[in-house]
Amino acid sequence: MDPNLLAELHGDKWRELSMLAKQNTLNPAQTHRFLDLYRDASKDLSRIMTVAPDSVEAARLSAIVHRSRNHLSAVPSGGLSGLSRFFVISLPLSIYRLRWDFLIAAVFFLAVASLAGIWAGMHPEVLETFGDHAFRKQFAEHDFVEYYKENPNGFFAVGVWTNNAWIAVQFVLLGITGVFVVSGLFSNAVNVGFSGAMMFEFDRGSDFFLYILPHGIPEISCIILAAAAGLRLFFAWVVPGPQLRRNKLASLARSLLTVAGGLVIMLFISGLIEGFVTPNPIPPALKIAIGVAYTAAVIAYAWYFGKRAAKAGLSADLDEHQAGYSILATDR
């Protein structure tokens, strides 16, 4: 093709691409436009280089494409830019989009825990499977409370944090199996219900709620959120929609990995509450208020920043040039 004719036909697009490449930031619409123009310009450059590699048009378009490529691969503002994107866009947006999945998983967990506790409380033979009367009495009157006090606060906090963080990460990463998440959530709910039943058997129900609610509200919320993320991944695999299954899974997995990272941070704070607040001899209402306030703060954070990012049409996934383009091949 004649380079002059190509410059006349596509010159406006080349100039637009050059202008966008000079901007420091682009909004979502400009980003998509920039990528489209970059692809077209690259094709035009390839055509010109095959017929007139030494032409003025080749030199001009080569400079524009080179500048655009640098703009694509450049780090906008150093390491802090990625950190800011993680906490302001990727993490809250991913959590916000899981709100209905979280609600369904929470209802399932609470229903199973409540039914398991009521069933065990109404059938003494079920509680006997955990041990004889003396064992259950020791658990209710001493072991349950002493569990939170027998180790130094810092050591205990780190221990429960690593355990809970490992569970949360497993729920997300192994969510594609479906069964692992459902069985794990079910077994945790049953354990909570049966523990409560043993406490109530010896009139220690108040101790049960006093020692489980301060840290349990944020901790269990994080585990349920991890389960919701894992199940979202499972359903994307089973029902990928109009996208190719591998593309759907890859995109969603990259987004949900931010949830796993965020949960590790959130569970660390939950571990501090369990290690330093739960065994602390402060008023019970204050202990519970701390757990509720922390959970409410996380919800408010995810709702505010996540909803704002969703309205702006942003994505928690990597940029297209980082994640790799999805190319559809069709027969002509």
Side-chain angles (χ1 to χ4, degrees):
M1 176 175 286
D2 183 5
N4 294 322
L5 178 59
L6 195 62
E8 185 176 346
L9 292 174
H10 297 167
D12 292 339
K13 291 183 178 181
W14 298 352
R15 283 188 289 273
E16 184 181 0
L17 176 62
S18 179
M19 292 177 61
L20 289 174
K22 294 177 182 178
Q23 297 186 27
N24 292 327
T25 58
L26 300 175
N27 60 39
Q30 290 175 322
T31 300
H32 287 296
R33 178 62 175 168
F34 178 81
L35 291 172
D36 290 339
L37 292 172
Y38 173 73
R39 294 192 196 101
D40 293 341
S42 298
K43 294 176 183 178
D44 290 341
L45 179 61
S46 177
R47 293 169 183 167
I48 294 177
M49 295 299 289
T50 60
V51 296
D54 298 326
S55 64
V56 175
E57 287 76 13
R60 172 192 169 198
L61 186 54
S62 179
I64 295 174
V65 170
H66 178 72
R67 186 186 307 118
S68 301
R69 187 181 300 113
N70 288 339
H71 192 65
L72 279 173
S73 59
V75 178
S77 304
L80 290 179
S81 176
L83 195 63
S84 174
R85 176 181 172 78
F86 176 82
F87 284 107
V88 177
I89 298 175
S90 300
L91 178 58
L93 179 58
S94 296
I95 296 176
Y96 178 76
R97 287 176 172 165
L98 288 172
R99 60 193 184 280
W100 299 118
D101 308 75
F102 172 83
L103 183 60
I104 294 171
V107 170
F108 172 79
F109 181 92
L110 294 175
V112 171
S114 301
L115 291 174
I118 294 172
W119 179 62
M122 295 176 63
H123 297 81
E125 65 274 14
V126 175
L127 293 178
E128 290 176 2
T129 61
F130 289 87
D132 57 20
H133 183 272
F135 173 84
R136 300 198 306 275
K137 184 178 178 66
Q138 174 70 21
F139 172 83
E141 296 183 352
H142 300 283
D143 294 348
F144 183 84
V145 173
E146 288 302 315
Y147 166 75
Y148 299 97
K149 299 179 179 181
E150 60 186 359
N151 292 306
N153 299 81
F155 179 82
F156 180 64
V158 172
V160 297
W161 168 54
T162 53
N163 177 68
N164 292 329
W166 175 237
I167 293 173
V169 171
Q170 282 184 301
F171 273 14
V172 176
L173 296 182
L174 299 179
I176 193 171
T177 65
V179 176
F180 180 84
V181 176
V182 174
S183 62
L185 201 62
F186 182 85
S187 62
N188 276 277
V190 170
N191 287 336
V192 171
F194 283 178
S195 297
M198 284 192 286
M199 295 294 289
F200 274 91
E201 182 185 13
F202 296 94
D203 298 323
R204 297 288 180 167
S206 59
D207 285 343
F208 174 74
F209 288 112
L210 171 61
Y211 280 87
I212 204 172
L213 286 180
H215 68 275
I217 293 175
E219 178 183 293
I220 293 175
S221 296
C222 287
I223 297 301
I224 292 174
L225 180 61
L231 289 175
R232 172 68 73 88
L233 195 61
F234 170 73
F235 284 110
W237 172 55
V238 175
V239 188
Q243 298 184 39
L244 290 175
R245 181 173 279 105
R246 64 175 180 271
N247 291 342
K248 178 71 173 182
L249 279 175
S251 175
L252 189 59
R254 287 190 296 265
S255 299
L256 293 180
L257 280 177
T258 64
V259 176
L263 286 172
V264 172
I265 299 172
M266 290 184 278
L267 283 168
F268 176 72
I269 300 176
S270 175
L272 293 179
I273 295 175
E274 186 169 358
F276 291 91
V277 175
T278 297
N280 198 292
I282 59 178
L286 181 57
K287 292 183 182 182
I288 297 174
I290 291 174
V292 171
Y294 171 55
T295 306
V298 172
I299 293 173
Y301 154 77
W303 187 269
Y304 175 76
F305 288 104
K307 189 175 183 179
R308 188 176 68 170
K311 283 186 175 181
L314 301 178
S315 172
D317 193 6
L318 297 174
D319 293 335
E320 193 175 33
H321 70 281
Q322 294 174 320
Y325 298 114
S326 297
I327 301 175
L328 299 177
T330 58
D331 294 331
R332 292 181 179 272

